[in-house]
DNA sequence: GCAACACGTTAACGCTCACTAACACCAGTG
DNA sequence: CACTGGTGTTAGTGAGCGTTAACGTGTTGC
């Protein structure tokens, strides 16, 4: 089904390994020799495939932003045909979870190394990101018309933070459950967050609010 | 009460500015000359106060991890005396939100530049982080005994991601609400996420779940 | 007045690292 | 076999940057 993975081109190999390394140690923390070694060639051989290190990062970030946006649009059109905002939001959440779990390194890069791009590329990525956020905000506002836009946007960003937390879940080794369990956990948490957003928030208290007076801690 | 801020020492100035710059452009992306310029001195003058660039990062990360843990412990003891896990969790959430909003740059560094540390420092930071997470996990498991530990831990990490999303909310310029509004929004979302964790999850559907069959997108 | 010290300066060193140059191998193609 | 294009190699270069060295200056205490 989904991705073909049939014939991973050299370019694709390089991009994949570069994404992993950039996510692990940061853009400046990885040398071109390491990227080359990761795909079996060494150092400057990369320059047969890319104009430079920056070009790799640019292609990665533009690519991921574009794919996120495209996937989101498809899901809005697909699930939105029924006119049910809840179903659309659920589909967006599922899609983002898939993405976060499939392409962990890219998700990490996505909000970490944006400033390293040339102005034009950075503007493009920002625009794609903004469109993706707007997709979510629109759906959230359809679902909860009483929620002001600024809160909806804040909630969307916060839920992105929640869903993108997968890199911190210690992928290998840790006695952590399978992918399906992680998927359903994240799904449940995300839905719970949005559900809380929908609650009025003025009348009823959210939960045990704790006494705000005792601001101990923070020494 | 809490922090004095009375006489910000040179050391503290440097740490504060270094934190901001590291968070903005990454550890490798900032030069010592820039850090010096940010506090009015230039370049190698920093070496009168720190052994090196690494030492600044180490002190920042150890400091934030320690303060987070200390604050969390205080809140557990303070609110936990009443024996009400919900109040303890609420207090932990409030504390973490305060921290995320007060020390945005540090929160960003916290899960971004950890690998740049010497082994000893990195181990120390990891240990402090782990203790802090365990604090939360313990409370969550008291509050929802039916939730297995792996899920509780995953949920805690995910909520950290949610609360730490504040750096992405575009602090200056954007027509975004005041601090109080952001605080209450994050608080509501976090409580909602944990509430969803508490729901059984086996019997009832969480929300509109979307049809999992139509895995469009992700081309 | 004058050591002693805290704190800052500029100049230079040495290392890392992205990138380039020059060359080698191998597959088609006529 | 010669030619060409794609892909790799190693050696070298130039810039950036963390760090050190050597030096200057104001304040303190005898």
């Amino acid at each position: 089904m989904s991705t073909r993975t049939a014939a991973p081109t050299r370019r694709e190999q390089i991009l994949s390994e570069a994404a992993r390394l950039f996510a692990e140690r940061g853009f400046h923390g990885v040398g071109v020799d390491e990227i080359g070694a990761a795909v079996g060639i060494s150092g400057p051989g990369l320059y047969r495939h890319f104009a430079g290190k920056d070009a790799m990062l640019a292609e990665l970030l533009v690519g991921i932003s574009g794919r996120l946006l495209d996937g989101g649009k498809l899901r809005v059109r697909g699930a939105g045909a029924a006119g049910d905002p809840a179903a659309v939001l659920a589909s967006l959440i599922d899609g983002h979870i898939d993405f976060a779990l499939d392409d962990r390194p890219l998700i990490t890069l996505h909000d970490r190394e944006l400033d390293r791009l040339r102005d034009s590329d950075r503007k493009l990525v920002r625009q794609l990101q903004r469109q993706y956020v707007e997709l979510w905000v629109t759906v959230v506002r359809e679902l909860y018309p009483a929620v002001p836009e600024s809160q909806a946007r804040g909630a969307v960003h916060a839920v992105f933070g929640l869903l993108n937390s997968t890199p911190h879940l210690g992928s290998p080794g840790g006695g952590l459950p399978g992918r399906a369990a992680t998927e359903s956990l994240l799904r449940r948490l995300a839905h719970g967050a949005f559900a809380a957003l929908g609650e009025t928030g003025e009348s009823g208290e959210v939960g045990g609010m704790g006494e705000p007076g005792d601001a101990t801690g923070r020494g």
Side-chain angles (χ1 to χ4, degrees), chain A residues 68 72 76 89 91-97 130-142 152 156 159-160 163 190 194:
Chain A
L68 261 179
V76 167
L89 183 58
S91 179
L92 283 177
I93 290 173
D94 286 351
H96 198 103
I97 291 175
R130 193 160 31 231
Q131 287 183 56
Y132 184 63
V133 172
E134 288 316 306
L135 224 57
W136 283 65
V137 170
T138 300
V139 175
V140 168
R141 295 213 70 201
E142 285 175 17
V156 167
V159 170
F160 284 173
L163 297 178
F194 279 127

Side-chain angles (χ1 to χ4, degrees), chain A residues 62-85:
Chain A
V62 172
I64 186 187
S65 303
R67 286 200 301 278
L68 261 179
L69 178 58
D70 288 349
K73 280 181 179 171
L74 277 177
R75 286 173 179 273
V76 167
R77 293 194 211 289
D84 179 7

Side-chain angles (χ1 to χ4, degrees), chain A residues 93-94 97-98 101 162-163 166 169 177-192:
Chain A
I93 290 173
D94 286 351
I97 291 175
D98 274 355
L101 292 177
L162 188 152
L163 297 178
T166 46
L169 295 182
R179 179 193 164 110
T182 305
E183 244 184 76
S184 97
L185 175 63
L186 289 177
R187 183 158 42 218
R188 206 188 316 170
L189 296 173
H191 280 282

Side-chain angles (χ1 to χ4, degrees), chain A residues 29-54:
Chain A
V30 179
V32 290
D33 290 355
E34 292 179 82
I35 302 174
V39 299
I41 73 183
S42 224
L46 297 171
Y47 288 77
R48 298 289 175 196
H49 304 274
F50 292 93
K53 205 179 155 195
D54 298 336

Side-chain angles (χ1 to χ4, degrees), chain A residues 114-115 121-131:
Chain A
L114 188 64
D115 315 327
D121 290 324
R122 187 171 56 245
K123 275 191 175 181
L124 174 56
V125 171
R126 282 246 162 81
Q127 184 187 334
L128 294 170
Q129 285 183 357
R130 193 160 31 231
Q131 287 183 56

